[in-house]
Amino acid sequence: SCSTCAAANSCAWCQSLNKCVFETEAFERSDCSGAVYDEPCPSSFVQVTTVGGNLDIVGDPLLGGGELNIEGPCAESSCHDGGMFRLSLDGSEGLDLKAGGSVNIEAGSSFKANANGGDIKMNA
């Protein structure tokens, strides 16, 4: 259980795997999310984080990182094709966007009547 694992020395409860692993393994495994290192264990492992202001995602020269990966199930009432949404941005795949519904892209929006906004440019 999460409580037994989190109480043990050098162990972490890996919620995504539903098992206890060594702390080092929790950091090394890409499939280990929702890791709990100390008690108390949360009643829910779905976290909502709100960022007010700017969000910088910067890769570390030694450890790597800097990628942006967002995915999850869309609301059932508005789902299309597969019911999942995804946004990934990294140095090898580029930008991958899959929406469960409509996609709206705005650039340089203008609040003036009959005025042009900014450009949206797409190049292959």
Side-chain angles (χ1 to χ4, degrees):
S1 74
C2 178
S3 297
T4 304
C5 180
N9 193 22
S10 299
C11 290
W13 178 256
C14 183
Q15 175 58 24
S16 59
L17 300 173
N18 199 33
K19 72 176 192 174
C20 192
V21 297
F22 289 110
E23 284 183 350
T24 53
E25 186 179 355
F27 284 108
E28 293 168 355
R29 293 184 67 145
S30 62
D31 60 346
C32 180
S33 59
V36 179
Y37 301 93
D38 296 302
E39 291 187 285
C41 292
S43 57
S44 172
F45 289 96
V46 177
Q47 180 178 343
V48 175
T49 303
T50 302
V51 177
N54 299 326
L55 172 64
D56 291 328
I57 301 175
V58 180
D60 183 273
L62 296 175
L63 300 175
E67 298 177 359
L68 174 64
N69 296 295
I70 304 168
E71 71 176 285
C74 65
E76 287 187 30
S77 62
S78 63
C79 281
H80 300 284
D81 300 337
M84 295 291 291
F85 66 86
R86 178 179 64 241
L87 171 65
S88 299
L89 182 61
D90 64 35
S92 61
E93 297 291 324
L95 174 66
D96 178 25
L97 172 64
K98 177 182 179 183
S102 300
V103 175
N104 299 316
I105 300 174
E106 296 182 26
S109 297
S110 174
F111 294 104
K112 296 179 183 176
N114 299 318
N116 290 331
D119 294 333
I120 297 177
K121 299 178 181 178
M122 294 186 194
N123 298 314

